Amino acid sequence: MRKLAIIGIGLIKWGELWEKSIRQIAAEAISKCLEDAGTDRIDAMTIGNMSGGLFNGQEHLSSLIPDHLGRKNIPAMRIESACASGGMAVRTACLEVASGFSDYAIAVGVEKMTDISGNEATYALATAADQDYEAFHGVTFPGLYAMMAKAHMDRYGTTRDQLSSVVIKNHYNGSLNPNAQFPFKITSDQVLKSPMVSDPLRLLDCSPITDGAAAVLITTLEEAKKLKKQPVFISGIGHASDSIALSSRKDILKLEAVELSTDKALKMAGKSIRDIDFAEVHDCFSIAEIMILEALGVVAPGEGGKASSDGLTGLNGNFPVNPSGGLKSKGHPVGATGVAQICEAVTQLRGEAGERQLKNIRTGLTQNMGGSAGSSVVHILEVI
Amino acid sequence: MTGIVGYGTKIPRYRIKVEEIAKVWGADAPTYKRGLNLNEKSVPAPDEDCATLSVNAALNALKRAEIDPADIGAVYVGSESHPYAVKPTGTIVSEAIGACPYVHTADLEFACKAGTEGMFIALNLVKSGAVPYALAIGADTSQGAPGDALEYSAAAGAAAFIMGKDNLIAELKDTHCFMTDTPDFWRREYKHYPEHGGRFTGAPAYFKHVTGAVDAILGKTNMKPDDFKYVIFHQPNGKFPVLVAKKLGFTEQQYLPGLLSPTLGNTYSGSSPMGFAATLDIAKPGDLILLISYGSGAGSDAFIFETTEKIDEVRNRAPKLRTQLDEHKIYIEYGTYAKFRKKILLPN
Amino acid sequence: MQVPRYWREIPKRYRLEAAQCKKCLNISFPEKFSCPECGSRDFKTIKLSGKGKISTHTIIRIAPEGFNDQVPYGMGIIEMDEGPRIMAQITDCDPEKLKTGDRMIYQFRRIREDGSTGVIMYAYKFVPDVGI
């Protein structure tokens, strides 16, 4: 297996991009990525996208995006794993390069979610759940995570304030990120006064509906040394699945796919979670970040809430999580999220994160998951 | 012997009071309360319809009958509010209770009489030996036009009866029918609400046919009102069944246990069958019960049943009607009722 | 047109038919291609009793397309007395008053309809087991 490095990242300002189409935002992110890398070379393209079909009535992004980019003959393929599509696209681009099939593979994540109504978007997102045994009955993603939150509160005594601490921290971080959709701070009071979406989760516990795209260019470590930017080494990749229906799990508080994908990535990198300096994780809901902290092994099961409110995960904490603002503040264009997490980790490791720059870091972890953690992908990145 | 081996009912939990409806339409609530002996009525939840009420009532009947549902050879659902104009309710019920695929099923419609029509057919099919068991259901989620007198009474509920030959809880003694072509109430195809003949629904319609059926069956069996422990009439409101009972010489003790309309409303095809179920809930072995339905259009079916020793054994296996009617009620205001009953114009 | 997808699941949706592994007796609802516990593919069809308790729950206040007229509605994972857990709506109650561990019982209900002219879809829901 060839050693892998990231030599370029491209991220556009996320939000409600009314004037731009899915092809335009994907091309913009790719263009920024190539500019960052200082090369135009693309041997292969992977496209993380959850549902061009439902959000835009557009499938076949593997032709659409290279075509719009003006590079119509690039071999491209779309990768779908619900909200983990972006992370999976990065992983697939890594396989291209590691295997020797391609020397330069670009992973682009894109989702254009505001072309349909909120109700329709809720429906589209719910297709990431078990269509026949969850979505059919009228459950939503806020609903699924609310049930996990309720169980977490029942079993471990996790509190409303602890959930809010995740939201407040991520919005603080996002306020320092110019690309974030909602780059402003919020207070505990604002969380409490936001409308209930699915008890106990309120609107401000939920990641938003976002249009966005992100891209990363991957090559071999050897090739990377020829380029202008400081390369970031991808030392670990882990990937696992779990049952799609929450009700099928013996313990709904155990995110098995997250645990397994983390273990695999750490093993490949030859590291333990104690060697990781920071993480970008899939905080699609406040409770998700708390449960992921536990699944990563940063804290014991049940202690994620307390660790969050104690400041463990803040920019100055011992284990900073989501310095970008996370899905919560930065936005969650589902297929783009996993790619953008890598962009943030690279930005931090290069020392280019400006006001939100973490100190003394060498190793970062990204964790991206689909549905109610029915799939999860983890990358470990290091500066060389 | 032919008769009933199990019965079950279902009443939605929601209720609306007569005052609440009257308030919206500027009507005089006491007129309806005193004049028609109506106080409140059941309202189906948005996720209930004739098919769901039928299934849930039939499952209660199965709990009492303790038979293998695959042995049910016929399923009849009588209703004027079948969820589809074309596509049977009976198949939904048969599938849900586990009677498919070797079962004969049909949807029946005869205004408020469709429930006892099913009972009549089911009993006679079992009697003929064509099927070992037959299920008959009367169920409705009826709609009265907003502001119309019918809106105060049109209610929702279902009663299901499994007919068989052995282990009877009530044996069928006799039946009689009384039928003429009398257009006192109707709903034309593609129309949402029914229309009715006002006072014409009384003397030439309800009273003539109910009285005709009772006189005929008493004559046929050479019996008189005081031979019966209980009597149940169709109850479009709380007034008509009381008037006809008195006119025919029945007493309060005979008709009160089966008189549900003052707090249930008119459940149309479910009406007299539910009154009958409420009576079975309290009957002692050996009681003679007279059941008379009425359906606009118009006709009445009359049945005489005699309860057996087994009634005491099975009645507690499923919820009793009075429990469903009197307990765990949820009162709603007219706005919620209008939303539940899809009386609010939506964009699509 | 959602008819085939709806129709195919009817035995499970209407009658709570589950698959019991003949080897290890584990019950799957819905059935799986092979037993998640022991890998056996030898199953028998059983009917769940429809009785169970709330394992976790929530209230859906922002609904997906097709459920808007029902909000707010209770939703929960119901642990059946036989073991399997089922995601379902909890109806006929004030969802604010539901608690983990509450006893629930099956009811046959309308889930949604495919517009005003399409098929009506029915399935299990659960209601508090209050004896009615």
Side-chain angles (χ1 to χ4, degrees):
Chain A
M1 200 182 109
R2 305 202 287 180
K3 283 194 181 335
L4 302 163
I6 296 170
I7 48 161
I9 56 171
L11 200 57
I12 60 162
K13 165 82 179 168
W14 288 0
E16 292 174 313
L17 309 178
W18 302 114
E19 290 173 9
K20 290 176 184 172
S21 67
I22 184 167
R23 70 183 87 187
Q24 288 171 322
I25 59 177
E28 280 180 33
I30 293 167
S31 160
K32 282 196 166 192
C33 176
L34 294 175
E35 196 184 313
D36 181 59
T39 176
D40 266 341
R41 188 169 165 193
I42 302 175
D43 299 337
M45 181 187 292
T46 61
I47 303 160
N49 175 258
M50 173 179 162
S51 196
L54 289 173
F55 287 118
N56 320 101
Q58 178 69 63
E59 307 287 11
H60 207 183
L61 302 185
S62 54
S63 173
L64 181 88
I65 291 172
D67 182 20
H68 185 70
L69 191 65
R71 307 278 295 272
K72 65 187 168 67
N73 299 122
I74 292 174
M77 66 176 132
R78 171 176 148 195
I79 309 289
E80 190 277 315
S81 189
C83 310
S85 300
M88 298 296 180
V90 173
R91 178 181 178 275
T92 309
C94 288
L95 300 187
E96 281 277 344
V97 175
S99 66
F101 249 78
S102 305
D103 289 332
Y104 285 74
I106 193 163
V108 54
V110 63
E111 210 79 52
K112 170 78 194 161
M113 301 171 75
T114 59
D115 281 356
I116 55 175
S117 73
N119 260 338
E120 290 167 329
T122 303
Y123 170 81
L125 290 168
T127 63
D130 185 324
Q131 190 57 227
D132 289 335
Y133 287 89
E134 289 182 324
F136 172 82
H137 292 278
V139 75
T140 58
F141 267 97
L144 290 169
Y145 279 90
M147 284 187 240
M148 296 192 222
K150 178 78 175 60
H152 210 273
M153 289 167 134
D154 280 354
R155 191 188 301 173
Y156 299 123
T158 300
T159 64
R160 174 63 259 179
D161 281 350
Q162 291 170 349
L163 293 175
S164 297
S165 71
V166 173
V167 178
I168 294 161
K169 182 263 296 175
N170 285 348
H171 267 277
Y172 174 79
N173 295 355
S175 73
L176 308 175
N177 182 352
N179 284 322
Q181 179 177 12
F182 297 118
F184 47 75
K185 294 172 206 162
I186 59 163
T187 63
S188 173
D189 199 44
Q190 282 174 299
V191 179
L192 283 176
K193 283 183 178 153
S194 68
M196 194 70 92
V197 172
S198 197
D199 314 42
L201 299 182
R202 294 179 176 274
L203 186 66
L204 289 176
D205 285 298
C206 308
S207 55
I209 301 266
T210 311
D211 299 330
V216 298
L217 186 63
I218 293 155
T219 185
T220 62
L221 204 48
E222 216 164 86
E223 282 286 320
K225 287 172 186 159
K226 298 178 193 166
L227 293 159
K228 64 171 183 180
K229 283 279 176 162
Q230 180 191 7
V232 170
F233 175 42
I234 304 177
S235 60
I237 306 173
H239 167 208
S241 302
D242 195 0
S243 52
I244 185 161
L246 199 56
S247 54
S248 302
R249 298 193 196 149
K250 277 197 177 139
D251 181 355
I252 66 161
L253 296 183
K254 190 172 158 68
L255 302 179
E256 219 170 88
V258 181
E259 289 178 13
L260 292 172
S261 54
T262 305
D263 290 349
K264 276 188 211 172
L266 287 171
K267 196 175 167 198
M268 180 175 161
K271 293 190 185 300
S272 90
I273 192 70
R274 304 288 151 220
D275 302 322
I276 306 295
D277 299 319
F278 72 100
E280 278 284 307
V281 307
H282 198 93
D283 62 317
C284 46
F285 297 92
S286 52
I287 184 64
E289 184 170 311
I290 287 172
M291 290 174 65
I292 291 164
L293 274 184
E294 298 166 8
L296 294 177
V298 176
V299 296
E303 289 175 12
K306 187 171 183 301
S308 298
S309 60
D310 286 352
L312 175 78
T313 54
L315 288 182
N316 299 314
N318 284 332
F319 190 80
V321 171
N322 286 327
S324 68
L327 284 56
K328 179 70 207 70
S329 162
K330 188 180 54 183
H332 183 29
V334 282
T337 286
V339 182
Q341 289 179 329
I342 305 268
C343 293
E344 175 68 12
V346 169
T347 306
Q348 289 287 350
L349 289 168
R350 283 176 178 172
E352 295 174 351
E355 283 184 273
R356 64 181 195 284
Q357 181 62 50
L358 303 170
K359 308 283 182 313
N360 305 318
I361 51 165
R362 293 190 60 81
T363 309
L365 176 150
T366 65
Q367 182 275 334
N368 178 211
M369 66 196 187
S372 45
S375 58
S376 171
V377 57
V378 169
H379 289 88
I380 292 170
L381 284 74
E382 298 180 50
V383 273
I384 302 153
Chain B
M1 291 203 306
T2 304
I4 297 163
V5 298
Y7 69 98
T9 54
K10 174 68 193 175
I11 303 175
R13 275 185 78 170
Y14 295 97
R15 301 287 186 278
I16 189 165
K17 287 182 185 287
V18 161
E19 288 89 339
E20 179 65 22
I21 302 173
K23 188 175 74 187
V24 170
W25 299 108
D28 183 39
T31 305
Y32 288 97
K33 294 186 77 167
R34 280 198 309 271
L36 291 174
N37 190 16
L38 285 172
N39 296 294
E40 60 191 52
K41 65 168 190 172
S42 65
V43 180
D47 57 1
E48 289 182 300
D49 63 19
C50 159
T52 70
L53 296 173
S54 295
V55 169
N56 294 319
L59 290 172
N60 281 333
L62 272 167
K63 281 179 198 159
R64 289 203 172 95
E66 290 189 337
I67 60 162
D68 181 351
D71 291 336
I72 295 175
V75 172
Y76 301 108
V77 185
S79 180
E80 62 105 85
S81 51
H82 291 289
Y84 289 93
V86 177
K87 199 228 155 276
T89 308
T91 52
I92 301 169
V93 175
S94 301
E95 225 15 290
I97 65 167
C100 287
Y102 305 112
V103 60
H104 182 258
T105 183
D107 287 5
L108 306 170
E109 186 280 312
F110 192 143
C112 298
K113 193 179 83 70
T116 60
E117 270 182 322
M119 292 170 70
F120 186 91
I121 300 170
L123 284 161
N124 283 299
L125 268 184
V126 168
K127 198 169 168 183
S128 75
V131 296
Y133 296 103
L135 168 65
I137 301 165
D140 259 309
T141 54
S142 307
Q143 291 260 34
D148 186 85
L150 279 181
E151 193 182 23
Y152 296 85
S153 60
F161 299 87
I162 301 171
M163 314 305 185
K165 275 182 178 286
D166 306 310
N167 293 316
L168 302 181
I169 58 169
E171 186 195 345
L172 177 71
K173 305 305 280 185
D174 216 328
T175 61
H176 212 300
C177 301
F178 187 97
M179 224 64 56
T180 71
D181 188 40
T182 304
D184 59 324
F185 167 103
W186 59 88
R187 178 162 61 84
R188 292 281 299 275
E189 196 155 28
Y190 309 120
K191 297 294 172 195
H192 195 58
Y193 298 113
E195 295 199 17
H196 56 85
R199 289 188 58 78
F200 181 72
T201 58
Y206 179 86
F207 292 100
K208 174 181 164 183
H209 293 80
V210 169
T211 308
V214 172
D215 286 346
I217 200 164
L218 293 183
K220 183 183 176 190
T221 55
N222 199 21
M223 293 172 81
K224 50 191 188 314
D226 61 13
D227 289 334
F228 296 94
K229 182 73 191 262
Y230 300 110
V231 63
I232 303 99
F233 297 101
H234 170 56
Q235 22 204 297
N237 48 51
K239 183 177 133 189
F240 279 20
V242 172
L243 284 178
V244 84
K246 285 181 180 158
K247 190 178 158 207
L248 287 164
F250 291 95
T251 64
E252 259 195 6
Q253 287 88 336
Q254 287 171 295
Y255 69 73
L256 269 187
L259 183 68
L260 309 174
S261 50
T263 53
L264 174 62
N266 179 8
T267 57
Y268 284 54
S269 302
S271 177
S272 55
M274 290 172 82
F276 180 44
T279 307
L280 289 175
D281 281 340
I282 54 138
K284 300 270 183 305
D287 285 347
L288 279 170
I289 303 173
L290 177 61
L291 164 66
I292 306 99
S293 64
Y294 172 73
S296 289
S300 285
D301 297 327
F303 302 80
I304 298 171
F305 288 99
E306 183 177 353
T307 48
T308 72
E309 297 289 332
K310 197 150 167 82
I311 185 85
D312 289 334
E313 189 187 319
V314 309
R315 79 171 113 233
N316 291 324
R317 289 179 191 158
K320 289 184 188 148
L321 188 134
R322 275 284 166 192
T323 314
Q324 293 177 335
L325 182 59
D326 299 337
E327 294 177 24
H328 305 288
K329 295 188 273 194
I330 303 171
Y331 285 99
I332 54 176
E333 75 289 8
Y334 196 90
T336 305
Y337 163 76
K339 179 179 131 179
F340 279 13
R341 301 306 286 138
K342 297 191 164 48
K343 290 173 191 274
I344 299 174
L345 202 58
L346 293 172
N348 37 38
Chain C
M1 227 281 281
Q2 303 185 30
V3 171
R5 215 171 71 201
Y6 162 67
W7 165 81
R8 199 176 292 132
E9 308 299 323
I10 278 177
K12 288 157 270 177
R13 288 189 176 151
Y14 285 19
R15 300 192 294 272
L16 291 179
E17 279 190 9
Q20 181 165 40
C21 174
K22 285 187 183 168
K23 207 166 141 197
C24 75
L25 304 181
N26 180 65
I27 300 170
S28 297
F29 182 92
E31 87 295 351
K32 295 235 189 289
F33 185 73
S34 53
C35 175
E37 292 299 313
C38 74
S40 165
R41 289 188 199 168
D42 200 6
F43 293 102
K44 77 167 177 184
T45 300
I46 62 160
K47 218 171 119 178
L48 299 176
S49 66
K51 290 180 181 172
K53 60 177 190 204
I54 296 181
S55 145
T56 182
H57 64 101
T58 184
I59 303 170
I60 306 288
R61 295 176 192 273
I62 297 179
E65 201 69 11
F67 291 87
N68 293 321
D69 59 338
Q70 298 181 45
V71 290
Y73 53 88
M75 191 91 213
I77 297 178
I78 314 299
E79 186 179 329
M80 299 281 92
D81 288 348
E82 295 91 340
R85 282 173 295 268
I86 299 180
M87 178 72 70
Q89 267 193 49
I90 303 170
T91 190
D92 265 12
C93 62
D94 176 357
E96 304 266 4
K97 291 188 179 143
L98 294 172
K99 294 187 307 297
T100 304
D102 280 359
R103 292 293 301 171
M104 293 284 128
I105 189 162
Y106 155 101
Q107 278 254 312
F108 185 76
R109 291 295 172 111
R110 250 170 121 108
I111 302 296
R112 55 173 298 205
E113 49 188 43
D114 191 6
S116 61
T117 57
V119 73
I120 303 166
M121 289 169 264
Y122 297 91
Y124 51 80
K125 286 191 184 182
F126 287 84
V127 297
D129 191 359
V130 292
I132 56 166

